[in-house]
Amino acid sequence: MGLEAWYMDSSDEDQRSPHRMSPNQPVSLEDMKKLGVFHWKLNADIYETDPELEQIRKDRGYSFMDIITIHQDKLPNYEEKLKMFFEEHLHLDDEIRYILDGRAYFDVRDQEERWIRISMSKGDLITLPAGIYHRFTLDQTNYTKAMRLFVGEPVWKAYNRPADDFDARQKYLESLQS
Ligand code: KMT
Ligand code: NI
C-alpha cells in the first residue's frame, strides 16, 4: 500500500486539518520520486529487529538513529518546536523519518512551488532530499512517534526560507532538471 499525498488548498486555517482541494487532487508516488522524495512501507511493530529496516540502513548508510515522541506531555517545548517544524525550511542533508506510531503530515513544495501534503502513518518511512523546501505538522490526533535517521553525526539545523544560496539548494534545483 502506498501512502497518500495531495495538493493543498490555500486556506490559512488550522494547520492540522487535511487541507485537501475539492475535488481532491492526488499526488502519486511517481510524482514524488521526481521531486526526490522516496517512501518505504515497513512493519513498525518490529522496528527493533526488522531486517528490512536493517537493510535500508545498511544500503543507504543511515548509521544514526533516535526516536522522537511528539506529544504535549512528552516533548519539551512542544508548542515552540511545532511552530518551528511548520516554518518552511530546508536542510543541507536528507531528512529521513520513520513513523513508528500515530500520524503526521510532511508538506513539500513541488517544481511549481505548490504545496503537496504527504500523509504519514505507522510504518511509513520517507526521505526528503537535501535542499527541498518543506515543513512538518501533527494532524488532528496530535501525536506521533518517529525514528530520525541520519548518515553519520546528525545535523538538525533548519534554514528557513529564503535559503536559496546554499549549494544544497542549487544542487537540488539542478536535480529537478534531469
Ligand atoms: C523537520 O526538520 O522538519 C523535522 O524534524 C520534523 C519533525 S521530526 C518527526
Ligand atoms: Ni525539516
PDB file of all heavy atoms in Angstrom, residues 92-124:
ATOM      1  N   LEU A  92      20.675  20.918   4.828  1.00  0.00           N
ATOM      2  CA  LEU A  92      21.800  20.659   3.914  1.00  0.00           C
ATOM      3  C   LEU A  92      22.006  19.163   3.717  1.00  0.00           C
ATOM      4  O   LEU A  92      22.888  18.759   2.957  1.00  0.00           O
ATOM      5  CB  LEU A  92      23.074  21.326   4.447  1.00  0.00           C
ATOM      6  CG  LEU A  92      22.934  22.827   4.761  1.00  0.00           C
ATOM      7  CD1 LEU A  92      24.286  23.436   5.138  1.00  0.00           C
ATOM      8  CD2 LEU A  92      22.305  23.594   3.596  1.00  0.00           C
ATOM      9  N   ASP A  93      21.223  18.357   4.429  1.00  0.00           N
ATOM     10  CA  ASP A  93      21.282  16.888   4.308  1.00  0.00           C
ATOM     11  C   ASP A  93      19.863  16.355   4.137  1.00  0.00           C
ATOM     12  O   ASP A  93      18.898  17.070   4.390  1.00  0.00           O
ATOM     13  CB  ASP A  93      21.905  16.279   5.575  1.00  0.00           C
ATOM     14  CG  ASP A  93      23.258  16.871   5.884  1.00  0.00           C
ATOM     15  OD1 ASP A  93      24.249  16.454   5.272  1.00  0.00           O
ATOM     16  OD2 ASP A  93      23.315  17.791   6.744  1.00  0.00           O
ATOM     17  N   ASP A  94      19.757  15.095   3.756  1.00  0.00           N
ATOM     18  CA  ASP A  94      18.434  14.472   3.634  1.00  0.00           C
ATOM     19  C   ASP A  94      17.747  14.410   4.995  1.00  0.00           C
ATOM     20  O   ASP A  94      18.410  14.225   6.029  1.00  0.00           O
ATOM     21  CB  ASP A  94      18.551  13.036   3.096  1.00  0.00           C
ATOM     22  CG  ASP A  94      18.998  13.002   1.640  1.00  0.00           C
ATOM     23  OD1 ASP A  94      19.219  14.075   1.047  1.00  0.00           O
ATOM     24  OD2 ASP A  94      19.119  11.879   1.105  1.00  0.00           O
ATOM     25  N   GLU A  95      16.441  14.564   4.987  1.00  0.00           N
ATOM     26  CA  GLU A  95      15.638  14.354   6.193  1.00  0.00           C
ATOM     27  C   GLU A  95      14.963  12.990   6.059  1.00  0.00           C
ATOM     28  O   GLU A  95      14.209  12.754   5.124  1.00  0.00           O
ATOM     29  CB  GLU A  95      14.588  15.459   6.324  1.00  0.00           C
ATOM     30  CG  GLU A  95      13.677  15.291   7.531  1.00  0.00           C
ATOM     31  CD  GLU A  95      12.888  16.563   7.856  1.00  0.00           C
ATOM     32  OE1 GLU A  95      13.443  17.673   7.734  1.00  0.00           O
ATOM     33  OE2 GLU A  95      11.710  16.429   8.221  1.00  0.00           O
ATOM     34  N   ILE A  96      15.239  12.092   7.010  1.00  0.00           N
ATOM     35  CA  ILE A  96      14.748  10.716   6.921  1.00  0.00           C
ATOM     36  C   ILE A  96      13.933  10.419   8.172  1.00  0.00           C
ATOM     37  O   ILE A  96      14.459  10.504   9.290  1.00  0.00           O
ATOM     38  CB  ILE A  96      15.934   9.727   6.805  1.00  0.00           C
ATOM     39  CG1 ILE A  96      16.856  10.142   5.664  1.00  0.00           C
ATOM     40  CG2 ILE A  96      15.423   8.305   6.604  1.00  0.00           C
ATOM     41  CD1 ILE A  96      18.333  10.108   6.025  1.00  0.00           C
ATOM     42  N   ARG A  97      12.656  10.113   7.966  1.00  0.00           N
ATOM     43  CA  ARG A  97      11.754   9.909   9.102  1.00  0.00           C
ATOM     44  C   ARG A  97      10.947   8.632   8.908  1.00  0.00           C
ATOM     45  O   ARG A  97      10.439   8.371   7.836  1.00  0.00           O
ATOM     46  CB  ARG A  97      10.794  11.097   9.243  1.00  0.00           C
ATOM     47  CG  ARG A  97      11.485  12.444   9.479  1.00  0.00           C
ATOM     48  CD  ARG A  97      12.092  12.560  10.869  1.00  0.00           C
ATOM     49  NE  ARG A  97      12.661  13.882  11.114  1.00  0.00           N
ATOM     50  CZ  ARG A  97      13.935  14.213  10.868  1.00  0.00           C
ATOM     51  NH1 ARG A  97      14.780  13.317  10.386  1.00  0.00           N
ATOM     52  NH2 ARG A  97      14.360  15.426  11.105  1.00  0.00           N
ATOM     53  N   TYR A  98      10.812   7.911  10.003  1.00  0.00           N
ATOM     54  CA  TYR A  98      10.070   6.646  10.003  1.00  0.00           C
ATOM     55  C   TYR A  98       9.021   6.718  11.106  1.00  0.00           C
ATOM     56  O   TYR A  98       9.374   6.824  12.284  1.00  0.00           O
ATOM     57  CB  TYR A  98      11.063   5.506  10.230  1.00  0.00           C
ATOM     58  CG  TYR A  98      10.475   4.116  10.338  1.00  0.00           C
ATOM     59  CD1 TYR A  98       9.240   3.789   9.806  1.00  0.00           C
ATOM     60  CD2 TYR A  98      11.194   3.108  10.986  1.00  0.00           C
ATOM     61  CE1 TYR A  98       8.726   2.503   9.910  1.00  0.00           C
ATOM     62  CE2 TYR A  98      10.699   1.818  11.088  1.00  0.00           C
ATOM     63  CZ  TYR A  98       9.444   1.533  10.551  1.00  0.00           C
ATOM     64  OH  TYR A  98       8.947   0.257  10.665  1.00  0.00           O
ATOM     65  N   ILE A  99       7.759   6.684  10.720  1.00  0.00           N
ATOM     66  CA  ILE A  99       6.675   6.820  11.701  1.00  0.00           C
ATOM     67  C   ILE A  99       6.437   5.475  12.391  1.00  0.00           C
ATOM     68  O   ILE A  99       6.055   4.498  11.753  1.00  0.00           O
ATOM     69  CB  ILE A  99       5.368   7.318  11.034  1.00  0.00           C
ATOM     70  CG1 ILE A  99       5.590   8.648  10.290  1.00  0.00           C
ATOM     71  CG2 ILE A  99       4.258   7.457  12.087  1.00  0.00           C
ATOM     72  CD1 ILE A  99       5.997   9.826  11.153  1.00  0.00           C
ATOM     73  N   LEU A 100       6.666   5.455  13.697  1.00  0.00           N
ATOM     74  CA  LEU A 100       6.518   4.227  14.482  1.00  0.00           C
ATOM     75  C   LEU A 100       5.132   4.120  15.099  1.00  0.00           C
ATOM     76  O   LEU A 100       4.669   3.021  15.422  1.00  0.00           O
ATOM     77  CB  LEU A 100       7.568   4.184  15.589  1.00  0.00           C
ATOM     78  CG  LEU A 100       9.026   4.226  15.120  1.00  0.00           C
ATOM     79  CD1 LEU A 100       9.964   4.238  16.321  1.00  0.00           C
ATOM     80  CD2 LEU A 100       9.340   3.059  14.201  1.00  0.00           C
ATOM     81  N   ASP A 101       4.487   5.263  15.272  1.00  0.00           N
ATOM     82  CA  ASP A 101       3.160   5.276  15.879  1.00  0.00           C
ATOM     83  C   ASP A 101       2.514   6.629  15.602  1.00  0.00           C
ATOM     84  O   ASP A 101       3.212   7.622  15.393  1.00  0.00           O
ATOM     85  CB  ASP A 101       3.284   5.033  17.394  1.00  0.00           C
ATOM     86  CG  ASP A 101       1.972   4.575  18.030  1.00  0.00           C
ATOM     87  OD1 ASP A 101       1.044   4.209  17.285  1.00  0.00           O
ATOM     88  OD2 ASP A 101       1.888   4.590  19.276  1.00  0.00           O
ATOM     89  N   GLY A 102       1.183   6.651  15.623  1.00  0.00           N
ATOM     90  CA  GLY A 102       0.475   7.900  15.369  1.00  0.00           C
ATOM     91  C   GLY A 102       0.568   8.303  13.911  1.00  0.00           C
ATOM     92  O   GLY A 102       0.846   7.474  13.044  1.00  0.00           O
ATOM     93  N   ARG A 103       0.383   9.591  13.662  1.00  0.00           N
ATOM     94  CA  ARG A 103       0.387  10.072  12.289  1.00  0.00           C
ATOM     95  C   ARG A 103       0.878  11.510  12.209  1.00  0.00           C
ATOM     96  O   ARG A 103       0.946  12.200  13.238  1.00  0.00           O
ATOM     97  CB  ARG A 103      -1.014   9.949  11.673  1.00  0.00           C
ATOM     98  CG  ARG A 103      -2.121  10.287  12.661  1.00  0.00           C
ATOM     99  CD  ARG A 103      -3.524  10.025  12.114  1.00  0.00           C
ATOM    100  NE  ARG A 103      -3.806   8.625  11.935  1.00  0.00           N
ATOM    101  CZ  ARG A 103      -3.911   8.001  10.754  1.00  0.00           C
ATOM    102  NH1 ARG A 103      -3.751   8.663   9.629  1.00  0.00           N
ATOM    103  NH2 ARG A 103      -4.188   6.732  10.708  1.00  0.00           N
ATOM    104  N   ALA A 104       1.196  11.943  11.011  1.00  0.00           N
ATOM    105  CA  ALA A 104       1.707  13.303  10.834  1.00  0.00           C
ATOM    106  C   ALA A 104       1.662  13.684   9.359  1.00  0.00           C
ATOM    107  O   ALA A 104       1.498  12.820   8.498  1.00  0.00           O
ATOM    108  CB  ALA A 104       3.145  13.386  11.331  1.00  0.00           C
ATOM    109  N   TYR A 105       1.796  14.970   9.088  1.00  0.00           N
ATOM    110  CA  TYR A 105       1.893  15.444   7.706  1.00  0.00           C
ATOM    111  C   TYR A 105       3.280  16.037   7.461  1.00  0.00           C
ATOM    112  O   TYR A 105       3.781  16.825   8.270  1.00  0.00           O
ATOM    113  CB  TYR A 105       0.866  16.544   7.441  1.00  0.00           C
ATOM    114  CG  TYR A 105      -0.577  16.125   7.499  1.00  0.00           C
ATOM    115  CD1 TYR A 105      -1.489  16.864   8.255  1.00  0.00           C
ATOM    116  CD2 TYR A 105      -1.052  15.029   6.777  1.00  0.00           C
ATOM    117  CE1 TYR A 105      -2.837  16.512   8.305  1.00  0.00           C
ATOM    118  CE2 TYR A 105      -2.392  14.670   6.818  1.00  0.00           C
ATOM    119  CZ  TYR A 105      -3.281  15.418   7.587  1.00  0.00           C
ATOM    120  OH  TYR A 105      -4.606  15.074   7.633  1.00  0.00           O
ATOM    121  N   PHE A 106       3.856  15.666   6.324  1.00  0.00           N
ATOM    122  CA  PHE A 106       5.012  16.375   5.789  1.00  0.00           C
ATOM    123  C   PHE A 106       4.529  17.100   4.541  1.00  0.00           C
ATOM    124  O   PHE A 106       3.939  16.473   3.651  1.00  0.00           O
ATOM    125  CB  PHE A 106       6.141  15.401   5.428  1.00  0.00           C
ATOM    126  CG  PHE A 106       6.845  14.830   6.623  1.00  0.00           C
ATOM    127  CD1 PHE A 106       6.329  13.743   7.312  1.00  0.00           C
ATOM    128  CD2 PHE A 106       8.037  15.391   7.072  1.00  0.00           C
ATOM    129  CE1 PHE A 106       6.970  13.226   8.425  1.00  0.00           C
ATOM    130  CE2 PHE A 106       8.692  14.875   8.180  1.00  0.00           C
ATOM    131  CZ  PHE A 106       8.155  13.797   8.863  1.00  0.00           C
ATOM    132  N   ASP A 107       4.767  18.390   4.474  1.00  0.00           N
ATOM    133  CA  ASP A 107       4.424  19.173   3.286  1.00  0.00           C
ATOM    134  C   ASP A 107       5.706  19.478   2.528  1.00  0.00           C
ATOM    135  O   ASP A 107       6.707  19.904   3.128  1.00  0.00           O
ATOM    136  CB  ASP A 107       3.763  20.496   3.674  1.00  0.00           C
ATOM    137  CG  ASP A 107       2.473  20.316   4.470  1.00  0.00           C
ATOM    138  OD1 ASP A 107       1.839  19.239   4.357  1.00  0.00           O
ATOM    139  OD2 ASP A 107       2.100  21.268   5.190  1.00  0.00           O
ATOM    140  N   VAL A 108       5.674  19.274   1.206  1.00  0.00           N
ATOM    141  CA  VAL A 108       6.836  19.613   0.369  1.00  0.00           C
ATOM    142  C   VAL A 108       6.381  20.474  -0.791  1.00  0.00           C
ATOM    143  O   VAL A 108       5.231  20.362  -1.252  1.00  0.00           O
ATOM    144  CB  VAL A 108       7.564  18.352  -0.173  1.00  0.00           C
ATOM    145  CG1 VAL A 108       8.083  17.489   0.970  1.00  0.00           C
ATOM    146  CG2 VAL A 108       6.674  17.527  -1.105  1.00  0.00           C
ATOM    147  N   ARG A 109       7.265  21.304  -1.295  1.00  0.00           N
ATOM    148  CA  ARG A 109       6.978  22.125  -2.474  1.00  0.00           C
ATOM    149  C   ARG A 109       7.257  21.324  -3.741  1.00  0.00           C
ATOM    150  O   ARG A 109       8.291  20.649  -3.828  1.00  0.00           O
ATOM    151  CB  ARG A 109       7.886  23.356  -2.485  1.00  0.00           C
ATOM    152  CG  ARG A 109       7.609  24.352  -1.399  1.00  0.00           C
ATOM    153  CD  ARG A 109       6.439  25.233  -1.735  1.00  0.00           C
ATOM    154  NE  ARG A 109       6.372  26.374  -0.825  1.00  0.00           N
ATOM    155  CZ  ARG A 109       5.358  27.224  -0.807  1.00  0.00           C
ATOM    156  NH1 ARG A 109       4.335  27.082  -1.655  1.00  0.00           N
ATOM    157  NH2 ARG A 109       5.361  28.218   0.050  1.00  0.00           N
ATOM    158  N   ASP A 110       6.370  21.419  -4.707  1.00  0.00           N
ATOM    159  CA  ASP A 110       6.647  20.773  -5.992  1.00  0.00           C
ATOM    160  C   ASP A 110       7.464  21.717  -6.889  1.00  0.00           C
ATOM    161  O   ASP A 110       7.865  22.808  -6.446  1.00  0.00           O
ATOM    162  CB  ASP A 110       5.356  20.275  -6.658  1.00  0.00           C
ATOM    163  CG  ASP A 110       4.612  21.377  -7.389  1.00  0.00           C
ATOM    164  OD1 ASP A 110       4.980  22.575  -7.262  1.00  0.00           O
ATOM    165  OD2 ASP A 110       3.640  21.058  -8.108  1.00  0.00           O
ATOM    166  N   GLN A 111       7.685  21.317  -8.153  1.00  0.00           N
ATOM    167  CA  GLN A 111       8.500  22.105  -9.097  1.00  0.00           C
ATOM    168  C   GLN A 111       7.933  23.509  -9.309  1.00  0.00           C
ATOM    169  O   GLN A 111       8.657  24.423  -9.663  1.00  0.00           O
ATOM    170  CB  GLN A 111       8.593  21.400 -10.459  1.00  0.00           C
ATOM    171  CG  GLN A 111       9.268  20.046 -10.455  1.00  0.00           C
ATOM    172  CD  GLN A 111       8.288  18.902 -10.210  1.00  0.00           C
ATOM    173  OE1 GLN A 111       7.208  19.078  -9.637  1.00  0.00           O
ATOM    174  NE2 GLN A 111       8.674  17.703 -10.618  1.00  0.00           N
ATOM    175  N   GLU A 112       6.622  23.633  -9.130  1.00  0.00           N
ATOM    176  CA  GLU A 112       5.975  24.936  -9.350  1.00  0.00           C
ATOM    177  C   GLU A 112       5.601  25.625  -8.045  1.00  0.00           C
ATOM    178  O   GLU A 112       4.739  26.507  -8.028  1.00  0.00           O
ATOM    179  CB  GLU A 112       4.727  24.753 -10.222  1.00  0.00           C
ATOM    180  CG  GLU A 112       5.021  24.824 -11.699  1.00  0.00           C
ATOM    181  CD  GLU A 112       4.786  23.463 -12.373  1.00  0.00           C
ATOM    182  OE1 GLU A 112       3.718  22.872 -12.138  1.00  0.00           O
ATOM    183  OE2 GLU A 112       5.675  23.009 -13.093  1.00  0.00           O
ATOM    184  N   GLU A 113       6.245  25.183  -6.963  1.00  0.00           N
ATOM    185  CA  GLU A 113       6.075  25.836  -5.659  1.00  0.00           C
ATOM    186  C   GLU A 113       4.714  25.590  -5.022  1.00  0.00           C
ATOM    187  O   GLU A 113       4.329  26.294  -4.090  1.00  0.00           O
ATOM    188  CB  GLU A 113       6.285  27.363  -5.764  1.00  0.00           C
ATOM    189  CG  GLU A 113       7.600  27.768  -6.386  1.00  0.00           C
ATOM    190  CD  GLU A 113       8.705  27.847  -5.343  1.00  0.00           C
ATOM    191  OE1 GLU A 113       8.418  27.624  -4.156  1.00  0.00           O
ATOM    192  OE2 GLU A 113       9.837  28.130  -5.745  1.00  0.00           O
ATOM    193  N   ARG A 114       3.986  24.605  -5.539  1.00  0.00           N
ATOM    194  CA  ARG A 114       2.718  24.275  -4.891  1.00  0.00           C
ATOM    195  C   ARG A 114       2.980  23.332  -3.727  1.00  0.00           C
ATOM    196  O   ARG A 114       3.858  22.471  -3.814  1.00  0.00           O
ATOM    197  CB  ARG A 114       1.773  23.599  -5.885  1.00  0.00           C
ATOM    198  CG  ARG A 114       1.260  24.552  -6.957  1.00  0.00           C
ATOM    199  CD  ARG A 114       0.448  23.793  -7.997  1.00  0.00           C
ATOM    200  NE  ARG A 114       1.298  22.845  -8.717  1.00  0.00           N
ATOM    201  CZ  ARG A 114       0.872  22.091  -9.735  1.00  0.00           C
ATOM    202  NH1 ARG A 114      -0.378  22.150 -10.128  1.00  0.00           N
ATOM    203  NH2 ARG A 114       1.708  21.277 -10.359  1.00  0.00           N
ATOM    204  N   TRP A 115       2.213  23.477  -2.659  1.00  0.00           N
ATOM    205  CA  TRP A 115       2.376  22.593  -1.501  1.00  0.00           C
ATOM    206  C   TRP A 115       1.714  21.243  -1.759  1.00  0.00           C
ATOM    207  O   TRP A 115       0.540  21.183  -2.126  1.00  0.00           O
ATOM    208  CB  TRP A 115       1.749  23.179  -0.236  1.00  0.00           C
ATOM    209  CG  TRP A 115       2.562  24.193   0.471  1.00  0.00           C
ATOM    210  CD1 TRP A 115       2.223  25.504   0.693  1.00  0.00           C
ATOM    211  CD2 TRP A 115       3.837  24.006   1.116  1.00  0.00           C
ATOM    212  NE1 TRP A 115       3.214  26.129   1.419  1.00  0.00           N
ATOM    213  CE2 TRP A 115       4.207  25.232   1.686  1.00  0.00           C
ATOM    214  CE3 TRP A 115       4.712  22.922   1.254  1.00  0.00           C
ATOM    215  CZ2 TRP A 115       5.400  25.415   2.391  1.00  0.00           C
ATOM    216  CZ3 TRP A 115       5.904  23.101   1.950  1.00  0.00           C
ATOM    217  CH2 TRP A 115       6.235  24.326   2.510  1.00  0.00           C
ATOM    218  N   ILE A 116       2.490  20.178  -1.525  1.00  0.00           N
ATOM    219  CA  ILE A 116       1.956  18.814  -1.513  1.00  0.00           C
ATOM    220  C   ILE A 116       1.938  18.352  -0.067  1.00  0.00           C
ATOM    221  O   ILE A 116       2.948  18.473   0.646  1.00  0.00           O
ATOM    222  CB  ILE A 116       2.853  17.868  -2.331  1.00  0.00           C
ATOM    223  CG1 ILE A 116       2.831  18.259  -3.804  1.00  0.00           C
ATOM    224  CG2 ILE A 116       2.420  16.410  -2.133  1.00  0.00           C
ATOM    225  CD1 ILE A 116       3.875  17.522  -4.634  1.00  0.00           C
ATOM    226  N   ARG A 117       0.816  17.836   0.385  1.00  0.00           N
ATOM    227  CA  ARG A 117       0.717  17.307   1.763  1.00  0.00           C
ATOM    228  C   ARG A 117       0.841  15.791   1.713  1.00  0.00           C
ATOM    229  O   ARG A 117       0.087  15.113   1.006  1.00  0.00           O
ATOM    230  CB  ARG A 117      -0.610  17.740   2.393  1.00  0.00           C
ATOM    231  CG  ARG A 117      -0.862  17.130   3.755  1.00  0.00           C
ATOM    232  CD  ARG A 117      -1.639  18.055   4.658  1.00  0.00           C
ATOM    233  NE  ARG A 117      -0.790  19.112   5.225  1.00  0.00           N
ATOM    234  CZ  ARG A 117      -1.160  19.921   6.207  1.00  0.00           C
ATOM    235  NH1 ARG A 117      -2.363  19.839   6.720  1.00  0.00           N
ATOM    236  NH2 ARG A 117      -0.324  20.846   6.682  1.00  0.00           N
ATOM    237  N   ILE A 118       1.805  15.249   2.447  1.00  0.00           N
ATOM    238  CA  ILE A 118       2.054  13.812   2.494  1.00  0.00           C
ATOM    239  C   ILE A 118       1.565  13.296   3.835  1.00  0.00           C
ATOM    240  O   ILE A 118       2.042  13.734   4.891  1.00  0.00           O
ATOM    241  CB  ILE A 118       3.557  13.503   2.323  1.00  0.00           C
ATOM    242  CG1 ILE A 118       4.091  14.135   1.032  1.00  0.00           C
ATOM    243  CG2 ILE A 118       3.801  11.993   2.336  1.00  0.00           C
ATOM    244  CD1 ILE A 118       5.621  14.124   0.928  1.00  0.00           C
ATOM    245  N   SER A 119       0.603  12.389   3.776  1.00  0.00           N
ATOM    246  CA  SER A 119       0.004  11.854   4.997  1.00  0.00           C
ATOM    247  C   SER A 119       0.771  10.612   5.416  1.00  0.00           C
ATOM    248  O   SER A 119       0.799   9.619   4.714  1.00  0.00           O
ATOM    249  CB  SER A 119      -1.462  11.509   4.707  1.00  0.00           C
ATOM    250  OG  SER A 119      -2.009  10.850   5.811  1.00  0.00           O
ATOM    251  N   MET A 120       1.392  10.693   6.592  1.00  0.00           N
ATOM    252  CA  MET A 120       2.267   9.621   7.080  1.00  0.00           C
ATOM    253  C   MET A 120       1.626   8.957   8.283  1.00  0.00           C
ATOM    254  O   MET A 120       1.206   9.635   9.221  1.00  0.00           O
ATOM    255  CB  MET A 120       3.600  10.204   7.511  1.00  0.00           C
ATOM    256  CG  MET A 120       4.368  10.904   6.393  1.00  0.00           C
ATOM    257  SD  MET A 120       5.441   9.775   5.494  1.00  0.00           S
ATOM    258  CE  MET A 120       6.649   9.395   6.765  1.00  0.00           C
ATOM    259  N   SER A 121       1.586   7.637   8.262  1.00  0.00           N
ATOM    260  CA  SER A 121       1.116   6.924   9.454  1.00  0.00           C
ATOM    261  C   SER A 121       2.056   5.761   9.756  1.00  0.00           C
ATOM    262  O   SER A 121       3.056   5.554   9.054  1.00  0.00           O
ATOM    263  CB  SER A 121      -0.331   6.471   9.284  1.00  0.00           C
ATOM    264  OG  SER A 121      -0.460   5.716   8.116  1.00  0.00           O
ATOM    265  N   LYS A 122       1.727   5.042  10.795  1.00  0.00           N
ATOM    266  CA  LYS A 122       2.580   3.967  11.312  1.00  0.00           C
ATOM    267  C   LYS A 122       3.104   3.082  10.177  1.00  0.00           C
ATOM    268  O   LYS A 122       2.309   2.553   9.393  1.00  0.00           O
ATOM    269  CB  LYS A 122       1.771   3.128  12.298  1.00  0.00           C
ATOM    270  CG  LYS A 122       2.565   2.059  12.996  1.00  0.00           C
ATOM    271  CD  LYS A 122       1.715   1.388  14.071  1.00  0.00           C
ATOM    272  CE  LYS A 122       2.469   0.196  14.651  1.00  0.00           C
ATOM    273  NZ  LYS A 122       1.708  -0.450  15.727  1.00  0.00           N
ATOM    274  N   GLY A 123       4.427   2.923  10.108  1.00  0.00           N
ATOM    275  CA  GLY A 123       5.036   2.077   9.088  1.00  0.00           C
ATOM    276  C   GLY A 123       5.565   2.823   7.878  1.00  0.00           C
ATOM    277  O   GLY A 123       6.237   2.229   7.034  1.00  0.00           O
ATOM    278  N   ASP A 124       5.279   4.115   7.762  1.00  0.00           N
ATOM    279  CA  ASP A 124       5.773   4.904   6.629  1.00  0.00           C
ATOM    280  C   ASP A 124       7.156   5.475   6.930  1.00  0.00           C
ATOM    281  O   ASP A 124       7.346   6.168   7.929  1.00  0.00           O
ATOM    282  CB  ASP A 124       4.817   6.066   6.310  1.00  0.00           C
ATOM    283  CG  ASP A 124       3.524   5.613   5.679  1.00  0.00           C
ATOM    284  OD1 ASP A 124       3.577   4.726   4.801  1.00  0.00           O
ATOM    285  OD2 ASP A 124       2.458   6.142   6.045  1.00  0.00           O
TER     286      ASP A 124
END
